[in-house]
């Protein structure tokens, strides 16, 4: 990723205040939030449409499992990497196969989230700055 390209992120959480806090935190760190979703179904659709480098998901979603969704995206060839916010500290940092989600303990202040987003983005193939598809926020 070139010095002038910012990491593109899609946020997925059913909890609106969390989406707002995540957006503020990541944008303050120079990350472009290209979309937001409250469900697995909409998140998967936006991931295919907006082609973010990273998707940050709350592990608790009303219509499905965040980890399973990330695996399905990976298996379908979608290059988006996942960072899952978890309440279980034991899940954070656990060794996982390449392409599996990165887990970050769900807390906003000093969470390490911006660093996890950048780490996940570094695992994606080179991203080209094409026009943002409809429904995706333009950087």
């Amino acid at each position: 990723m070139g010095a002038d390209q910012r990491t593109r992120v899609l946020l997925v959480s059913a909890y609106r205040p969390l989406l707002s806090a995540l957006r503020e935190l990541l944008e303050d760190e120079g990350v472009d939030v290209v979309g937001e979703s409250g469900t697995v179904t909409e998140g998967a659709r936006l991931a295919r449409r907006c082609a973010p480098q990273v998707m940050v998901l709350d592990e608790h979603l009303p219509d499905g499992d965040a980890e399973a969704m990330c695996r399905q995206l990976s298996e379908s060839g979608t290059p988006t990497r996942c960072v899952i916010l978890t309440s279980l500290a034991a899940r954070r940092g656990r060794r996982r196969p390449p392409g599996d989600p990165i887990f970050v303990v769900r807390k906003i202040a000093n969470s390490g989230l911006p660093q996890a987003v950048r780490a996940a983005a570094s695992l994606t193939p080179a991203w080209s700055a094409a026009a943002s598809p409809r429904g995706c926020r333009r950087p």
Side-chain angles (χ1 to χ4, degrees):
M1 186 168 32
D4 60 336
Q5 286 185 327
R6 292 165 39 137
T7 302
R8 293 172 40 92
V9 174
L10 172 66
L11 303 176
V12 183
S13 174
Y15 187 56
R16 286 308 224 173
L18 179 61
L19 286 173
S20 296
L22 291 171
R23 174 182 286 282
E24 182 179 336
L25 171 72
L26 292 171
E27 287 179 342
D28 285 351
E29 290 286 329
V31 172
D32 285 326
V33 176
V34 297
E36 296 178 1
S37 171
T39 65
V40 165
T41 303
E42 179 70 4
R45 187 186 69 74
L46 284 174
R48 288 187 291 274
R49 179 180 213 152
C50 298
Q53 293 163 289
V54 180
M55 190 167 14
V56 176
L57 306 96
D58 193 352
E59 73 178 333
H60 301 290
L61 295 165
D63 65 335
D65 178 81
E67 189 171 2
M69 181 182 107
C70 291
R71 282 211 178 92
Q72 288 172 349
L73 285 172
S74 180
E75 290 167 3
S76 72
T78 303
T80 300
R81 298 294 185 222
C82 294
V83 173
I84 298 177
L85 303 174
T86 180
S87 56
L88 304 173
R91 292 184 83 164
R92 184 183 71 192
R94 139 178 114 170
R95 294 193 75 139
R96 309 189 59 80
D100 272 7
I102 295 172
F103 288 88
V104 174
V105 174
R106 187 188 311 115
K107 64 179 183 174
I108 299 303
N110 301 317
S111 67
L113 180 60
Q115 296 83 0
V117 165
R118 287 189 181 95
S122 73
L123 301 173
T124 60
W127 176 82
S128 66
S132 296
R134 199 177 115 148
C136 303
R137 187 167 170 246
R138 193 176 290 277

